[in-house]
Amino acid sequence: MGFKRLIKKGLLGGAGGMIEGHILDAIQKKKETGKSFRECLSESVKETINEDMPGTSHIYQMGKTDGRKQGTVEQAKRDEKIMQKKCEDHERERHEWEKNRQRKG
């Protein structure tokens, strides 16, 4: 949606260009979300720079994806350690239950 949104903001601005397009986009977002005009305008500009512009959007998306992949790998390692510990605890408890059952029986 990025490049299409960039063109739309440029067309919304008419002869005024991108600035008026951002203002009109912010007004529309304000109606939809109820946030302040300043917040909506800031979001509009950020989304244009980070997601819509051809040069910067690629870099932004690349960093966003790399961060997710790295976070996923780290989380998988943490989850694996947690599961191994739970498995070891379970086995230890199972052996204790077996010993107790043999003593009683």
Side-chain angles (χ1 to χ4, degrees):
M1 180 173 186
F3 193 67
K4 290 180 186 177
R5 193 168 47 202
L6 180 66
I7 299 294
K8 179 182 167 192
K9 287 179 186 175
L11 293 176
L12 279 176
M18 196 63 77
I19 295 172
E20 288 180 19
H22 282 297
I23 292 171
L24 293 174
D25 186 50
I27 291 171
Q28 183 180 0
K29 285 183 181 192
K30 184 179 182 340
K31 288 178 186 175
E32 292 171 1
T33 62
K35 295 180 181 178
S36 72
F37 176 75
R38 184 179 177 146
E39 287 177 314
C40 294
L41 184 61
S42 176
E43 284 178 13
S44 180
V45 171
K46 282 180 186 176
E47 116 188 329
T48 299
I49 293 171
N50 292 339
E51 299 172 10
D52 299 342
M53 294 179 78
T56 58
S57 67
H58 177 69
I59 296 169
Y60 175 76
Q61 291 299 327
M62 188 172 62
K64 195 172 175 184
T65 304
D66 287 347
R68 277 194 210 138
K69 287 180 185 175
Q70 183 63 31
T72 304
V73 169
E74 291 169 355
Q75 184 63 43
K77 288 178 183 177
R78 286 191 298 263
D79 290 346
E80 186 177 352
K81 286 180 183 178
I82 290 170
M83 290 306 292
Q84 284 178 347
K85 185 177 183 324
K86 284 185 179 184
C87 184
E88 290 169 1
D89 291 345
H90 175 73
E91 284 298 315
R92 186 174 22 82
E93 288 177 3
R94 188 175 68 83
H95 287 295
E96 288 177 15
W97 278 95
E98 284 291 322
K99 289 178 185 178
N100 287 338
R101 196 173 79 200
Q102 288 176 357
R103 280 189 226 149
K104 289 180 182 177

